[in-house]
Amino acid sequence: TWYLWFDPVAFGLIVSPRYFRSIRGRIVPYGLGFASQLVTAKVRSGMNETEHLIVGAGPTGLGAATRCYEKRLDWQLLEAEPHFGGPSQSVVDKQGFTWDLGGHVQFSHYDTFDRYMEKALGADGWFTHQRESWVWIKQRFVPYPFQNNLHRLDPADRWACVAGLLEAYQRELSGVGCQVAAKTETRNPKPENFLDWMLATFGRGITDLFMRPYNFKVWAYPPTEMDYHWIGERVSVPKLEGVIKSICTGEDEVSWGPNRVFRFPKKGGTGAVWDSIGRSLPPDRVKLGCAVEAIDVDRRQVSTSDGQVWRYRHLINTIPLNHLIRLAPGVVQPNVADSLRYSATNIVGVGLEGRAPEHLKTKCWMYFPDKNSPYYRVTVFTNYSPNNAARPGQQWSLMTETSESFA
């Protein structure tokens, strides 16, 4: 591709095959004057070329595109859907209610990420919330984290949970691990799976009452078939001293967790963030509604649904691995895609007339570990932003999440 550059001040003609590719269609300074016209003479051979080809315009793909743009690299972004955001998009239904595709909230430990979020919506484009989340179990609300607030349980369940914690604590002191898969105790304290980790960390009481049933509803897979190294900050591991103090004093412990304070867009749902970031990118570098249909890794070529072929040097993929494997035959055996295991989430939103009842007015979301409901979490979505309703102040909404898998 060649770009012809005319400078009316210098009356010169400059021909460049590389530099002007990154500034096509824009007026930028040159020499003593400025460019008033950019004439593109493109040799159409049915082949497009780019240094970095990014597949998928969800948060990860948009992050990659933004960094490439800032560093003045050669890049192109392809997205199958006609909008930005991927699973982090928001939708508006026929009644005017806004919905996210899941319970998304914004919290971060990173200044750089926070700056991009404020750049997307502005400092005044957010509501800031103190998290108030609850566990609905055995016909009562227990503050989240469940394992930090056992004093809310009835005496029998409370003792079962404490006895399990004491047993786990004693095993830790003696160096004995619990491996449920083999139904044995071992001198190797390292858990073999997620259920082993639950029992070794919380004991059988908390595991049976909350951790195991809730996590099965979230992931739709038995915890014996899951690893546990992903946990990090996602699960509160209480100290025995704190649990006993809570039981004796009856005080709630609700301050744990990286998301105890979070933000949410005032308008447009979570998708407003990613739509704003996507629209800040040069339009000629972004192709929406352009699905990848095949990837030839030997030739470093991608074929798309609009009949185009893209040649790349670096491919940045953000679509699910099973889809990537099917699109790039020969990289791994085709049956590998079918062997990858995953779960899906069904989001059901309920818009209601009037105002939220008193006992829900301050709640953010609620967990449901019991078997008498299919969903694992329900969010009072208008508590995030009243603008999630079509008529703020006159309507409210609930959003449920229910997992499924092919297990």
Side-chain angles (χ1 to χ4, degrees):
T1 302
W2 290 78
Y3 296 94
L4 307 183
W5 178 272
F6 291 92
D7 186 334
V9 176
F11 296 101
L13 175 62
I14 302 169
V15 182
S16 171
R18 181 179 181 128
Y19 174 68
F20 294 111
R21 183 183 304 163
S22 66
I23 55 174
R24 58 191 176 204
R26 292 187 293 153
I27 297 175
V28 297
Y30 173 73
L32 298 175
F34 64 95
S36 62
Q37 185 177 10
L38 181 63
V39 180
T40 302
K42 184 172 183 178
V43 180
R44 296 195 176 277
S45 60
M47 180 73 69
N48 305 281
E49 294 189 14
T50 187
E51 189 85 1
H52 300 84
L53 186 61
I54 305 164
V55 180
T60 304
L62 289 171
T66 299
R67 294 300 287 159
C68 285
Y69 179 44
E70 291 173 343
K71 291 181 174 294
R72 303 193 178 194
L73 302 177
D74 186 26
W75 60 277
Q76 189 73 34
L77 175 63
L78 306 178
E79 168 56 50
E81 299 294 329
H83 41 68
F84 299 104
S88 294
Q89 65 181 277
S90 300
V91 298
V92 179
D93 66 20
K94 293 180 180 179
Q95 287 72 37
F97 285 85
T98 299
W99 306 102
D100 281 2
L101 304 185
H104 300 147
V105 296
Q106 287 279 0
F107 57 94
S108 164
H109 302 304
Y110 302 101
D111 292 338
T112 300
F113 179 84
D114 292 338
R115 284 198 301 272
Y116 281 110
M117 294 300 98
E118 294 209 354
K119 182 180 178 182
L121 300 183
D124 61 346
W126 302 84
F127 287 119
T128 299
H129 297 290
Q130 187 79 32
R131 180 196 69 211
E132 185 181 325
S133 52
W134 298 79
V135 178
W136 178 253
I137 186 169
K138 292 193 171 183
Q139 301 299 307
R140 72 180 67 197
F141 275 122
V142 176
Y144 169 86
F146 172 84
Q147 53 272 30
N148 294 42
N149 293 286
L150 301 180
H151 65 280
R152 292 273 193 148
L153 301 175
D154 62 42
D157 287 334
R158 191 186 312 153
W159 170 243
C161 291
V162 172
L165 279 170
L166 288 170
E167 182 184 355
Y169 182 69
Q170 291 168 354
R171 275 202 305 268
E172 182 182 7
L173 290 178
S174 62
V176 175
C178 180
Q179 295 186 343
V180 178
K183 296 182 180 180
T184 60
E185 289 192 346
T186 172
R187 281 289 169 183
N188 176 14
K190 185 177 180 180
E192 288 188 348
N193 54 57
F194 189 24
L195 181 56
D196 284 348
W197 180 87
M198 293 181 199
L199 289 165
T201 305
F202 302 107
R204 190 164 294 279
I206 292 175
T207 297
D208 289 347
L209 189 61
F210 174 70
M211 291 295 294
R212 176 158 41 186
Y214 176 72
N215 279 282
F216 180 74
K217 291 178 76 171
V218 171
W219 303 107
Y221 278 95
T224 51
E225 299 179 18
M226 296 177 61
D227 198 354
Y228 63 93
H229 293 94
W230 53 270
I231 292 168
E233 291 184 327
R234 295 178 64 91
V235 178
S236 171
V237 179
K239 294 182 179 179
L240 186 60
E241 177 185 354
V243 172
I244 295 174
K245 178 183 177 182
S246 173
I247 292 174
C248 292
T249 63
E251 296 177 356
D252 292 336
E253 171 52 63
V254 297
S255 63
W256 176 88
N259 64 349
R260 60 186 178 274
V261 176
F262 67 90
R263 300 195 298 178
F264 193 84
K266 289 183 177 180
K267 294 184 178 180
T270 296
V273 177
W274 309 111
D275 185 67
S276 174
I277 291 175
R279 293 181 184 279
S280 72
L281 298 169
D284 61 324
R285 295 285 177 160
V286 177
K287 291 182 72 68
L288 298 177
C290 182
V292 171
E293 293 189 337
I295 301 173
D296 188 329
V297 295
D298 295 324
R299 295 182 178 181
R300 298 194 178 205
Q301 295 179 3
V302 167
S303 301
T304 56
S305 57
D306 61 354
Q308 297 291 306
V309 177
W310 289 87
R311 181 176 291 158
Y312 62 86
R313 184 174 179 185
H314 304 288
L315 180 67
I316 302 176
N317 173 70
T318 70
I319 65 176
L321 287 177
N322 56 329
H323 295 306
L324 175 66
I325 291 171
R326 293 191 182 98
L327 292 170
V331 177
V332 296
Q333 294 298 317
N335 61 346
V336 172
D338 296 326
S339 69
L340 293 175
R341 309 177 74 181
Y342 61 92
S343 57
T345 301
N346 300 274
I347 311 300
V348 177
V350 181
L352 299 146
E353 297 291 340
R355 296 176 178 271
E358 197 66 35
H359 69 282
L360 294 180
K361 280 186 175 179
T362 60
K363 289 180 171 63
C364 299
W365 62 84
M366 298 155 284
Y367 302 104
F368 291 81
D370 292 340
K371 294 180 179 180
N372 59 3
S373 64
Y375 40 80
Y376 62 86
R377 182 167 56 190
V378 176
T379 298
V380 188
F381 203 44
T382 40
N383 285 352
Y384 286 6
S385 170
N387 300 310
N388 290 334
R391 300 194 305 277
Q394 302 176 46
Q395 297 171 317
W396 65 292
S397 62
L398 294 168
M399 185 173 65
T400 72
E401 298 166 83
T402 305
S403 289
E404 65 172 292
S405 74
F406 298 99

